[in-house]
Amino acid sequence: MNRLFQFLETKLMPPLNKVANLRLIRAIMQAGIITVPFTIVGSIFLIINNLPQIIPPLAPFFEQTLLKFSPLYSVITTMSIGSLAIFYALATAYYLTESYRQEDKELSSFVAAILGLFAFLLTIIQVDITNEGAQLIQQTNDTSIIYNGVAMGAWVTRFGGIGIFIGILTAILATQIYRFCLRKKLTIRMPEGVPDGVSKSFASLIPAIFIAFTMLIINGVLATFHTDLHGLLSKPFEFVKELTGSWLGIVVIMLLIHLLWAVGVHGTAIIKNSFINPILLVSLTENINGGTNIFAGDFTNMYIFLGGAGSTLGLVLLMMFVAKSDQLKILGRAAILPGLFNINEPVIFGAPIVYNPYLIIPFIVTPIVNVSIAYFATAFGFVNKIISGIPWISPIGIGAFLGTGGDYRAVLIALINLAISIIIYYPFFKIYDGKLYAEQQKN
């Protein structure tokens, strides 16, 4: 272990430190941290809404009591976890501009945040351009609708985790346009004595026009190809449908999911929910009728997403019981309850893992190791095939036991994977925690 720490500290961490200290990376990490209260509050009400699945014997009681008010309190989850992309767009532009303000005090972080949100909102509407001109997309299917170009589920779909990456990109673009306008004096300057709020609003007018035309051009060009920024993001991953039949294919799927998460894209929604889940359901049906599919049902949440994508329950336990820094210690205590039910937005955006070079490596490696163990344990007959659907929020071990028809050995595999996740995260966590603790002592 000492040799591992020495290798990490002398060979791996110096370049990662340089990346972590980049202005852009710091801004995105700070944006992730600022979303923590929203993810924790949203997680609490998400758990409440799933109590009948968590405790099936009490389902009738919950349905006659708490769940009667679900439309009321579910709004909190929708407007918190379901709106993360909005928070990211605002916060990324704000913190990025704050770093630039050390060199140029004329910049306003608040104005930049509003401009960043404006740029992101310009990507929400889906427009298609044909020979007949531009038209708003209208579409209806079993799970969602697109009304006047806006994709709707329980809420505007692109406001959630699936839109975070685009929110970050547009916030960066808006910030750079804003800086360019100020450097070139392309702003409206009000005379002295005009209230500060009025002055700032007029100062943002010309940057807003530049941003509007920039996004108009981007959207227009993509619309001629019958897509947009959000659609463009998912296009390269449609081939994953062909990867579910082999160990190597499943490893590639896990790698893609977590690489996307590492840069702020909801990899689970983009790849698993969009492309993989329908295949898993078909495989589960075949297994119920005597099939022998390994990757079926909720294989990922049973064995891999322990605590959520990246197997972060092990990381949360390290935060709770090993961390020296107050930031990780408090975050661990706050994230343990959602983590037990495979909800890990508080960790992904609070530690943060997104754009954090210290934690990205174990976040990507751990699921690959876990899926390999679970895959070969099933392939060699050590555990039963999955023959039952389970709620994705089933705690560790319980989901594995139920999904395999009551095979206690599946619980053992899940616990082994948890232990391995702790081992893999530990050295990277230790170095990151030490960095935060040193900063805490310095301040």
Side-chain angles (χ1 to χ4, degrees):
M1 185 61 73
N2 287 335
R3 289 180 180 177
L4 176 60
F5 275 118
Q6 185 177 8
F7 169 77
L8 292 175
E9 291 176 348
T10 58
K11 303 295 183 183
L12 190 59
M13 286 304 151
L16 293 183
N17 279 329
K18 291 181 180 178
V19 174
N21 288 319
L22 292 174
R23 189 196 308 267
L24 178 60
I25 299 300
R26 290 203 313 270
I28 297 171
M29 289 174 66
Q30 288 173 311
I33 292 171
I34 208 68
T35 65
V36 173
F38 307 109
T39 56
I40 291 176
V41 171
S43 299
I44 291 170
F45 288 92
L46 183 60
I47 292 171
I48 291 174
N49 222 28
N50 285 281
L51 282 174
Q53 299 179 62
I54 296 170
I55 314 174
L58 294 180
F61 170 75
F62 293 130
E63 289 168 359
Q64 294 301 316
T65 53
L66 283 174
L67 292 186
K68 284 188 174 182
F69 301 94
S70 176
L72 177 64
Y73 62 73
S74 292
V75 172
I76 298 172
T77 300
T78 300
M79 295 303 168
S80 53
I81 294 177
S83 302
L84 283 179
I86 295 177
F87 304 141
Y88 253 88
L90 283 166
T92 301
Y94 179 90
Y95 285 114
L96 185 57
T97 307
E98 276 290 290
S99 68
Y100 284 124
R101 275 177 48 80
Q102 298 173 12
E103 306 154 9
D104 186 354
K105 295 297 182 181
E106 286 191 32
L107 291 166
S108 167
S109 300
F110 176 77
V111 169
I114 298 300
L115 292 173
L117 177 60
F118 175 56
F120 172 62
L121 293 177
L122 291 174
T123 70
I124 299 302
I125 308 296
Q126 299 181 56
V127 180
D128 190 32
I129 295 180
T130 64
N131 294 332
E132 299 176 358
Q135 56 185 350
L136 298 176
I137 294 177
Q138 311 283 349
Q139 182 178 310
T140 303
N141 56 43
D142 293 338
T143 57
S144 66
I145 62 171
I146 301 177
Y147 178 71
N148 285 342
V150 181
M152 302 290 295
W155 174 228
V156 179
T157 305
R158 292 177 170 183
F159 283 171
I162 200 169
I164 287 175
F165 184 65
I166 302 301
I168 291 171
L169 288 182
T170 50
I172 295 168
L173 176 62
T175 301
Q176 299 307 329
I177 292 175
Y178 175 46
R179 289 181 63 230
F180 172 81
C181 290
L182 257 66
R183 284 202 310 270
K184 300 299 181 180
K185 308 299 182 184
L186 299 174
T187 58
I188 298 175
R189 296 180 180 274
M190 303 298 289
E192 292 185 11
V194 174
D196 186 58
V198 176
S199 180
K200 285 182 178 178
S201 67
F202 276 93
S204 64
L205 176 58
I206 293 179
I209 292 172
F210 272 79
I211 290 168
F213 275 99
T214 301
M215 298 308 301
L216 178 63
I217 293 169
I218 293 172
N219 291 341
V221 170
L222 292 176
T224 60
F225 293 97
H226 314 297
T227 187
D228 57 16
L229 283 172
H230 295 266
L232 196 64
L233 184 65
S234 63
K235 290 294 182 184
F237 305 108
E238 292 184 357
F239 74 96
V240 298
K241 293 179 182 178
E242 309 299 325
L243 298 177
T244 58
S246 66
W247 165 78
L248 183 59
I250 299 170
V251 167
V252 170
I253 290 170
M254 290 299 115
L255 182 61
L256 290 173
I257 288 174
H258 292 87
L259 284 172
L260 289 174
W261 267 119
V263 294
V265 181
H266 200 307
T268 308
I270 292 271
I271 292 180
K272 182 176 179 291
N273 295 352
S274 299
F275 302 118
I276 304 303
N277 276 355
I279 299 172
L280 294 177
L281 290 174
V282 171
S283 299
L284 175 62
T285 303
E286 291 176 353
N287 282 5
I288 292 172
N289 294 317
T292 58
N293 299 295
I294 296 175
F295 200 45
D298 217 341
F299 185 90
T300 50
N301 286 320
M302 287 167 51
Y303 297 124
I304 308 164
F305 289 2
L306 306 176
S311 304
T312 53
L313 183 58
L315 177 61
V316 172
L317 293 174
L318 288 171
M319 290 179 180
M320 284 187 65
F321 298 111
V322 181
K324 296 172 66 177
S325 65
D326 288 343
Q327 176 180 325
L328 295 186
K329 194 179 300 182
I330 294 170
L331 178 62
R333 294 169 184 165
I336 185 61
L337 180 60
L340 289 173
F341 298 104
N342 301 326
I343 301 168
N344 67 343
E345 279 84 356
V347 181
I348 287 179
F349 302 118
I353 292 173
V354 171
Y355 285 96
N356 185 341
Y358 297 96
L359 297 179
I360 282 175
I361 293 174
F363 180 79
I364 293 171
V365 170
T366 302
I368 293 175
V369 175
N370 285 354
V371 76
S372 300
I373 292 171
Y375 180 91
F376 289 113
T378 309
F380 294 145
F382 184 78
V383 291
N384 293 340
K385 304 290 191 301
I386 297 172
I387 57 171
S388 175
I390 63 164
W392 65 270
I393 40 123
S394 300
I396 180 172
I398 296 176
F401 182 77
L402 296 175
T404 53
D407 189 346
Y408 69 89
R409 297 171 299 179
V411 180
L412 179 61
I413 294 298
L415 293 176
I416 288 173
N417 278 350
L418 175 63
I420 288 173
S421 71
I422 293 173
I423 293 169
I424 295 174
Y425 271 108
Y426 179 75
F428 299 90
F429 157 82
K430 195 69 176 174
I431 291 172
Y432 182 52
D433 181 55
K435 173 181 176 289
L436 295 179
Y437 183 69
E439 292 174 357
Q440 177 183 315
Q441 295 296 100
K442 182 180 178 181
N443 293 328

